Amino acid sequence: MTQKNSYTRLINRYDDVLTGRKWWSWLYMHCLWKTDDNAVAREVLEMIPDNFRGKMLDVPVGTAVFTCDKYRRMTKAGITGLDYSQEMLNIARLRFDEAGIRHVALQQGDVCDLPFPGDHFDLVLSMNGFHAFPDKELAFAEVSRVLKSGGTFCGCFYIKGERKPADWFVRKVLDKKGLFIPPHYTRQQAEEKLRSLFGANVEVRNERSILIFKCVKPDTDSYSRKQL
Protein backbone atom coordinates (compact mmCIF):
# COMPACT_ATOMS: atom_id res chain seq x y z
CA MET A 1 0.00 0.00 0.00
CA THR A 2 1.51 3.33 -0.97
CA GLN A 3 1.58 6.37 1.30
CA LYS A 4 -0.36 8.39 -1.29
CA ASN A 5 -3.17 5.81 -1.51
CA SER A 6 -3.39 5.59 2.27
CA TYR A 7 -3.97 9.30 2.64
CA THR A 8 -6.34 9.39 -0.35
CA ARG A 9 -8.69 6.92 1.37
CA LEU A 10 -8.69 8.91 4.61
CA ILE A 11 -8.71 12.43 3.19
CA ASN A 12 -12.27 13.25 4.26
CA ARG A 13 -11.47 12.38 7.89
CA TYR A 14 -8.01 13.93 7.98
CA ASP A 15 -9.04 17.31 9.40
CA ASP A 16 -11.28 15.69 12.01
CA VAL A 17 -8.41 13.53 13.27
CA LEU A 18 -6.01 16.47 13.55
CA THR A 19 -8.36 18.90 15.22
CA GLY A 20 -10.31 16.54 17.47
CA ARG A 21 -13.59 18.21 16.53
CA LYS A 22 -15.56 14.94 16.46
CA TRP A 23 -16.17 12.93 19.62
CA TRP A 24 -14.11 9.97 18.36
CA SER A 25 -11.22 12.15 17.21
CA TRP A 26 -11.28 14.02 20.54
CA LEU A 27 -10.89 10.67 22.31
CA TYR A 28 -8.11 9.66 19.90
CA MET A 29 -6.21 12.87 20.59
CA HIS A 30 -6.74 13.25 24.32
CA CYS A 31 -6.85 9.62 25.47
CA LEU A 32 -4.37 7.88 23.17
CA TRP A 33 -1.88 10.67 22.51
CA LYS A 34 -2.61 12.86 25.57
CA THR A 35 -1.70 15.80 23.34
CA ASP A 36 -3.78 18.62 21.88
CA ASP A 37 -2.71 19.09 18.26
CA ASN A 38 -4.50 22.44 18.16
CA ALA A 39 -2.34 23.78 21.00
CA VAL A 40 0.82 22.36 19.40
CA ALA A 41 -0.06 24.01 16.09
CA ARG A 42 -0.66 27.36 17.79
CA GLU A 43 2.70 27.14 19.55
CA VAL A 44 4.54 26.40 16.31
CA LEU A 45 2.75 29.09 14.30
CA GLU A 46 3.44 31.70 17.00
CA MET A 47 7.13 31.26 16.12
CA ILE A 48 6.36 33.03 12.83
CA PRO A 49 5.51 36.76 13.03
CA ASP A 50 2.37 37.88 11.22
CA ASN A 51 4.40 40.63 9.50
CA PHE A 52 6.95 38.17 8.08
CA ARG A 53 8.03 39.47 4.66
CA GLY A 54 10.34 36.82 3.24
CA LYS A 55 9.94 33.64 1.22
CA MET A 56 8.46 30.74 3.14
CA LEU A 57 8.08 27.03 2.38
CA ASP A 58 5.39 24.95 4.09
CA VAL A 59 6.09 21.24 3.63
CA PRO A 60 3.88 19.30 3.86
CA VAL A 61 1.14 21.89 3.57
CA GLY A 62 -1.57 19.23 3.96
CA THR A 63 -5.10 20.61 3.93
CA ALA A 64 -4.04 23.89 5.62
CA VAL A 65 -6.46 23.16 8.44
CA PHE A 66 -4.12 24.78 10.99
CA THR A 67 -2.41 27.38 8.80
CA CYS A 68 -5.23 29.04 6.87
CA ASP A 69 -6.08 31.65 9.51
CA LYS A 70 -2.38 32.35 10.08
CA TYR A 71 -1.66 32.84 6.38
CA ARG A 72 -4.61 35.20 6.05
CA ARG A 73 -2.71 37.56 8.38
CA MET A 74 0.69 37.05 6.68
CA THR A 75 -0.13 39.26 3.71
CA LYS A 76 3.48 40.40 3.15
CA ALA A 77 4.93 36.89 2.89
CA GLY A 78 5.55 34.87 -0.26
CA ILE A 79 4.38 31.41 0.79
CA THR A 80 4.83 28.16 -1.13
CA GLY A 81 2.92 25.12 0.09
CA LEU A 82 4.25 21.77 -1.13
CA ASP A 83 2.75 18.32 -0.64
CA TYR A 84 3.14 14.88 -2.18
CA SER A 85 -0.64 14.39 -2.22
CA GLN A 86 -2.60 16.23 -4.88
CA GLU A 87 -5.77 15.49 -2.91
CA MET A 88 -4.39 17.42 0.06
CA LEU A 89 -3.43 20.29 -2.22
CA ASN A 90 -6.92 20.40 -3.73
CA ILE A 91 -8.49 20.78 -0.30
CA ALA A 92 -5.91 23.41 0.71
CA ARG A 93 -6.60 25.35 -2.49
CA LEU A 94 -10.33 25.34 -1.82
CA ARG A 95 -9.75 26.44 1.77
CA PHE A 96 -7.48 29.31 0.69
CA ASP A 97 -9.87 30.39 -2.06
CA GLU A 98 -12.81 30.48 0.34
CA ALA A 99 -10.71 32.60 2.73
CA GLY A 100 -9.68 34.98 -0.05
CA ILE A 101 -5.99 34.10 0.31
CA ARG A 102 -4.07 34.78 -2.91
CA HIS A 103 -0.44 34.93 -1.75
CA VAL A 104 0.03 31.17 -1.21
CA ALA A 105 1.28 29.13 -4.19
CA LEU A 106 0.58 25.39 -4.00
CA GLN A 107 2.78 22.81 -5.69
CA GLN A 108 2.91 19.03 -5.83
CA GLY A 109 6.35 17.67 -5.00
CA ASP A 110 8.61 15.48 -2.90
CA VAL A 111 10.40 16.79 0.19
CA CYS A 112 13.27 14.42 -0.60
CA ASP A 113 13.81 16.18 -3.94
CA LEU A 114 12.67 19.77 -3.44
CA PRO A 115 12.18 21.61 -6.76
CA PHE A 116 13.88 24.79 -5.54
CA PRO A 117 17.42 26.19 -5.72
CA GLY A 118 19.68 26.30 -2.70
CA ASP A 119 19.47 29.20 -0.24
CA HIS A 120 16.02 30.10 -1.56
CA PHE A 121 13.73 30.37 1.49
CA ASP A 122 13.92 32.59 4.55
CA LEU A 123 11.76 30.18 6.54
CA VAL A 124 10.71 26.53 6.29
CA LEU A 125 7.74 25.21 8.24
CA SER A 126 7.13 21.47 8.63
CA MET A 127 4.19 20.45 10.79
CA ASN A 128 3.37 16.77 11.25
CA GLY A 129 5.52 15.77 8.31
CA PHE A 130 8.78 14.12 9.22
CA HIS A 131 7.20 11.03 10.76
CA ALA A 132 5.59 10.39 7.35
CA PHE A 133 8.61 11.09 5.15
CA PRO A 134 10.16 7.89 3.74
CA ASP A 135 13.76 9.18 3.82
CA LYS A 136 14.03 11.48 6.82
CA GLU A 137 17.78 12.02 6.50
CA LEU A 138 17.40 13.21 2.90
CA ALA A 139 14.39 15.34 3.84
CA PHE A 140 16.44 17.12 6.51
CA ALA A 141 19.27 17.63 4.04
CA GLU A 142 16.90 19.09 1.43
CA VAL A 143 15.34 21.46 3.93
CA SER A 144 18.77 22.67 4.98
CA ARG A 145 19.81 23.07 1.34
CA VAL A 146 16.91 25.35 0.35
CA LEU A 147 17.04 27.40 3.57
CA LYS A 148 19.09 30.60 3.54
CA SER A 149 21.80 31.25 6.11
CA GLY A 150 20.10 32.97 9.01
CA GLY A 151 16.79 31.41 7.99
CA THR A 152 14.41 29.67 10.38
CA PHE A 153 13.26 26.04 10.32
CA CYS A 154 10.41 25.23 12.68
CA GLY A 155 7.65 22.69 13.13
CA CYS A 156 6.70 19.48 14.92
CA PHE A 157 6.67 15.71 14.39
CA TYR A 158 6.18 12.42 16.21
CA ILE A 159 9.02 10.96 18.26
CA LYS A 160 9.07 7.51 19.83
CA GLY A 161 9.86 6.55 23.40
CA GLU A 162 7.76 9.17 25.19
CA ARG A 163 4.37 7.45 25.52
CA LYS A 164 3.92 3.69 25.24
CA PRO A 165 0.27 3.67 24.04
CA ALA A 166 1.11 6.09 21.25
CA ASP A 167 4.21 4.10 20.25
CA TRP A 168 2.14 0.90 20.15
CA PHE A 169 -0.52 2.53 17.97
CA VAL A 170 2.12 3.89 15.60
CA ARG A 171 3.77 0.47 15.21
CA LYS A 172 0.60 -1.60 14.94
CA VAL A 173 -1.65 0.75 12.97
CA LEU A 174 -0.16 3.92 11.50
CA ASP A 175 3.09 2.37 10.24
CA LYS A 176 1.27 -0.62 8.79
CA LYS A 177 -1.26 1.57 6.98
CA GLY A 178 1.53 3.70 5.51
CA LEU A 179 0.36 6.84 7.31
CA PHE A 180 3.59 6.99 9.31
CA ILE A 181 6.84 5.57 7.93
CA PRO A 182 9.60 4.13 10.15
CA PRO A 183 12.25 4.40 11.35
CA HIS A 184 11.23 7.06 13.86
CA TYR A 185 13.51 9.22 15.96
CA THR A 186 13.68 9.36 19.73
CA ARG A 187 13.84 12.84 21.22
CA GLN A 188 17.61 12.50 21.68
CA GLN A 189 18.12 11.32 18.11
CA ALA A 190 15.95 14.11 16.72
CA GLU A 191 17.76 16.77 18.72
CA GLU A 192 21.15 15.40 17.70
CA LYS A 193 20.07 15.47 14.05
CA LEU A 194 18.89 19.07 14.27
CA ARG A 195 22.08 20.14 16.05
CA SER A 196 24.20 18.43 13.39
CA LEU A 197 22.59 20.74 10.83
CA PHE A 198 22.01 23.91 12.83
CA GLY A 199 24.59 23.83 15.60
CA ALA A 200 23.68 25.65 18.80
CA ASN A 201 20.78 27.51 17.19
CA VAL A 202 18.26 24.82 18.11
CA GLU A 203 15.32 25.00 20.52
CA VAL A 204 13.36 21.82 21.19
CA ARG A 205 10.77 20.60 23.62
CA ASN A 206 8.32 17.75 23.48
CA GLU A 207 4.63 17.57 24.30
CA ARG A 208 4.69 13.87 25.11
CA SER A 209 5.18 12.16 21.72
CA ILE A 210 5.32 15.37 19.67
CA LEU A 211 8.62 17.18 19.26
CA ILE A 212 8.31 20.95 18.80
CA PHE A 213 11.37 22.66 17.36
CA LYS A 214 12.79 25.93 16.10
CA CYS A 215 16.21 26.19 14.43
CA VAL A 216 18.18 28.99 12.81
CA LYS A 217 20.60 28.07 10.04
CA PRO A 218 24.06 29.45 10.82
CA ASP A 219 26.17 31.35 8.37
CA THR A 220 28.03 28.60 6.50
CA ASP A 221 31.45 30.27 6.52
CA SER A 222 31.39 31.32 10.17
CA TYR A 223 30.04 27.91 11.26
CA SER A 224 32.78 26.13 9.30
CA ARG A 225 35.46 28.29 10.97
CA LYS A 226 34.11 27.39 14.41
CA GLN A 227 34.53 23.70 13.62
CA LEU A 228 38.25 24.09 12.79
Side-chain angles (χ1 to χ4, degrees):
M1 181 186 299
T2 67
Q3 179 188 14
K4 183 174 181 180
N5 289 338
S6 298
Y7 276 107
T8 299
R9 294 214 324 265
L10 295 176
I11 197 70
N12 292 329
R13 289 186 289 169
Y14 180 78
D15 288 358
D16 289 336
V17 171
L18 286 181
T19 60
R21 60 194 180 193
K22 303 290 187 179
W23 68 267
W24 55 267
S25 56
W26 189 95
L27 290 174
Y28 171 77
M29 180 188 299
H30 291 274
C31 296
L32 178 64
W33 290 91
K34 291 286 187 180
T35 302
D36 186 342
D37 282 353
N38 300 282
V40 170
R42 285 194 298 270
E43 181 174 343
V44 172
L45 293 175
E46 285 173 0
M47 299 174 184
I48 307 171
D50 288 352
N51 62 354
F52 178 81
R53 291 177 174 269
K55 293 181 180 179
M56 173 180 165
L57 173 65
D58 181 351
V59 56
V61 67
T63 65
V65 63
F66 291 129
T67 54
C68 185
D69 286 343
K70 176 71 173 184
Y71 291 169
R72 182 165 29 207
R73 301 191 297 271
M74 294 176 61
T75 56
K76 304 298 182 183
I79 303 171
T80 300
L82 185 137
D83 204 292
Y84 185 78
S85 167
Q86 187 59 52
E87 289 85 357
M88 295 277 193
L89 293 170
N90 292 343
I91 294 175
R93 181 76 278 159
L94 179 61
R95 180 168 267 133
F96 289 142
D97 287 347
E98 289 178 344
I101 296 173
R102 300 285 181 264
H103 58 283
V104 179
L106 296 178
Q107 184 171 342
Q108 196 277 335
D110 185 352
V111 68
C112 295
D113 186 18
L114 291 173
F116 310 108
D119 304 314
H120 186 68
F121 292 100
D122 301 284
L123 189 148
V124 177
L125 170 68
S126 184
M127 293 174 61
N128 302 314
F130 269 83
H131 50 249
F133 295 155
D135 190 333
K136 297 168 179 59
E137 294 290 305
L138 185 53
F140 274 122
E142 279 290 274
V143 166
S144 180
R145 179 183 67 80
V146 302
L147 186 63
K148 294 179 181 179
S149 295
T152 298
F153 174 40
C154 60
C156 57
F157 58 87
Y158 161 75
I159 51 173
K160 66 182 181 180
E162 300 296 326
R163 179 165 167 74
K164 289 182 179 179
D167 292 342
W168 180 91
F169 191 76
V170 168
R171 289 195 311 271
K172 299 298 184 179
V173 179
L174 299 180
D175 284 349
K176 289 186 176 181
K177 287 183 175 293
L179 300 173
F180 285 19
I181 298 180
H184 300 293
Y185 295 105
T186 63
R187 171 173 169 150
Q188 181 179 348
Q189 290 168 339
E191 185 170 355
E192 287 174 353
K193 182 60 187 178
L194 291 170
R195 292 195 182 282
S196 74
L197 293 170
F198 299 98
N201 300 311
V202 173
E203 299 174 17
V204 298
R205 81 170 196 88
N206 63 292
E207 187 67 26
R208 292 186 170 85
S209 295
I210 304 299
L211 186 82
I212 301 167
F213 65 92
K214 180 181 180 182
C215 314
V216 177
K217 185 177 179 179
D219 176 82
T220 304
D221 292 336
S222 62
Y223 183 68
S224 297
R225 288 194 295 272
K226 290 179 181 179
Q227 305 307 304
L228 296 178

